[in-house]
Amino acid sequence: MQQFPVRDGELLIGGHKLTTLAARVGQTPFYAYDRNLLAERVRALRVLLPAGVKLHYAMKANPMPAVVGLMAGLVDGIDVASAGELKVALDAGADPAEISFAGPGKRDVELRQSVAAGVLVNVESPRELEVLARESQRLGQPARVALRVNPDFELKGSGMKMGGGPKQFGVDVEQMPAVLKRVGALGLAFEGFHLFAGSQNLKAESICEAQQNSYALALRLSEHAPAPVRFLNLGGGFGIPYFPGEQHLDLAPIAANLAALEQRCRQELPQASIVIELGRYLVGEAGVYVTRVVDRKLSRGQVFLVTDGGLNHHLSASGNFGQVLRKNYPVAIGNRMASQPRELVSVVGPLCTPLDLLADRMELPVAGEGDLVVIYQSGAYGASASPQGFLGQAPLTEVLV
Ligand SMILES: *Cc1c(COP(=O)(O)O)cnc(C)c1O
């Protein structure tokens, strides 16, 4: 992949030769995230996005504390989805005024922690409002709330849809007028709306359409709001290419669309800032997963490279995290980048399950025991989204380089 250069036949990660980095880390398997690529991605987005649009990092994509610390210094806010993530964001030095907390099923204690921390709560149900009112009273400071809307449209072509139809996320738009009235009656500090329609989308047109629909919906709902809208989170859903034939998302039309919406917003909701929240797009391409070949086997004509890590560390690369049809992530033999000849191999992990497949019959340089298999596009939904306890394998480590 072009974001990682090659020197002397080895992949460079954060400027380090892969074998040197592996020696420094002291173990395989590991994830490595490249801080320059993370910063570069944010910089490139800023160049294109209208200056008034705020960029948030949805840290569930990669909650490694060092990554969150780096991102907190680069973006305008951090979006968390649990009290555990809230702690990491606060520890990382993120400004509580710019942290928002979304997610269904927030427990009473999590809502109390949010009020005490002074972060914005993206409310997902009428129950949360009542708990927030109680906790506000107890702590003597009004909870800051935005309402997460379950819209009456979907984000077309998304890997995962998180709005439209019956959903556990947000409050149905039909219930919104009554819920907004309740926010006012409870004396909570209303700040705005949160709309998040879906994830992993590579179609700029669909993202623009969802943003337009989200804006129009928020504008309509603002008529029922107890206070002016100051926060208007239009979601994200920006995808990255994983599989053959997929192209990078074309940001230009999205930036133009946001500029037009921002212009309207200045007239129609003059106190509001438009926010977009991105997870995978910010971090996904900056990370690799590295695992070492333990065994090379030949079974009835097929070569298997058996590695020291697999789906227990990288569920999504094994195809078991939301994919309908399993496809190979981009894979390389990181210490044999220019090596010949090549052969058709399957890369499998050490777990006793046929699901533990990292590359299914892929053409790679001939490799064997000790070589380093690299899985690209692994900076998002890797370590924290994998069942690390499964089968009692040795623990994983992560580095930011
Ligand atoms: C998961 C999630 C995100 C991040 O999604 P990506 O596809 O990683 O960009 C953003 N906002 C909310 C509310 C989410 O649940």
Side-chain angles (χ1 to χ4, degrees), residues 58 60-61 102 148 162 194 196 199-200 237 277-280 381:
K60 83 163 188 271
R148 180 166 180 184
M162 293 177 66
H194 175 215
F196 182 78
S199 184
Q200 179 50 20
E277 52 176 2
L278 305 179
R280 185 194 314 267
Y381 304 109

Side-chain angles (χ1 to χ4, degrees), residues 120-399:
L120 181 67
V121 179
N122 292 337
V123 168
E124 312 247 356
S125 78
R127 172 198 146 264
E128 288 186 5
L129 284 183
E130 303 302 321
V131 177
L132 284 169
R134 198 176 70 219
E135 297 303 336
S136 301
Q137 203 116 60
R138 215 190 262 182
L139 290 159
Q141 61 188 89
R144 299 174 53 214
V145 303
L147 293 178
R148 180 166 180 184
V149 188
N150 178 24
D152 43 9
F153 56 85
E154 288 186 341
L155 175 51
K156 287 181 202 135
S158 238
M160 288 190 205
K161 291 191 172 63
M162 293 177 66
K167 287 281 180 303
Q168 74 267 49
F169 308 109
V171 175
D172 293 352
V173 59
E174 301 84 336
Q175 298 174 28
M176 226 9 116
V179 170
L180 281 163
K181 207 165 158 195
R182 189 69 186 144
V183 174
L186 291 169
L188 300 169
F190 172 81
E191 295 195 11
F193 297 105
H194 175 215
L195 291 108
F196 182 78
S199 184
Q200 179 50 20
N201 202 301
L202 289 170
K203 295 198 187 82
E205 205 180 307
S206 305
I207 291 174
C208 291
E209 189 187 304
Q211 287 173 341
Q212 286 162 13
N213 289 338
S214 298
Y215 178 84
L217 180 53
L219 184 64
R220 193 146 54 80
L221 291 175
S222 70
E223 289 164 24
H224 303 273
V229 175
R230 293 170 44 202
F231 170 89
L232 180 46
N233 185 337
L234 297 180
F238 297 17
I240 62 171
Y242 288 97
F243 308 120
E246 289 185 341
Q247 302 294 324
H248 276 97
L249 183 62
D250 183 6
L251 284 181
I254 298 174
N257 186 57
L258 283 170
L261 288 176
E262 219 224 342
Q263 201 122 45
R264 276 186 65 186
C265 187
R266 253 182 263 147
Q267 305 295 319
E268 295 168 338
L269 298 166
Q271 299 193 36
S273 296
I274 290 180
V275 175
I276 58 168
E277 52 176 2
L278 305 179
R280 185 194 314 267
Y281 188 80
L282 295 182
V283 295
E285 297 189 74
V288 291
Y289 174 68
V290 181
T291 177
R292 196 179 292 275
V293 178
V294 173
D295 205 349
R296 177 192 164 91
K297 295 178 66 172
L298 192 62
S299 169
R300 303 206 165 113
Q302 197 178 333
V303 178
F304 289 86
L305 299 176
V306 188
T307 56
D308 58 5
L311 79 74
N312 52 321
H313 299 154
H314 205 331
L315 189 65
S316 53
S318 77
N320 294 293
F321 190 67
Q323 292 96 318
V324 180
L325 287 175
R326 193 198 170 283
K327 293 181 203 157
N328 289 330
Y329 268 45
V331 170
I333 306 299
N335 59 317
R336 294 184 182 275
M337 294 302 290
S339 163
Q340 294 288 349
R342 298 165 69 88
E343 64 180 351
L344 209 60
V345 294
S346 289
V347 180
V348 299
L351 307 187
C352 244
T353 159
L355 298 176
D356 196 9
L357 179 61
L358 294 176
D360 186 19
R361 286 160 295 171
M362 190 183 248
E363 198 192 276
L364 290 170
V366 172
E369 211 178 318
D371 285 327
L372 295 170
V373 172
V374 171
I375 302 181
Y376 297 105
Q377 307 299 74
S378 296
Y381 304 109
S384 72
S386 300
Q388 293 184 38
F390 190 34
L391 272 144
Q393 292 286 329
L396 178 63
T397 192
E398 297 173 274
V399 290

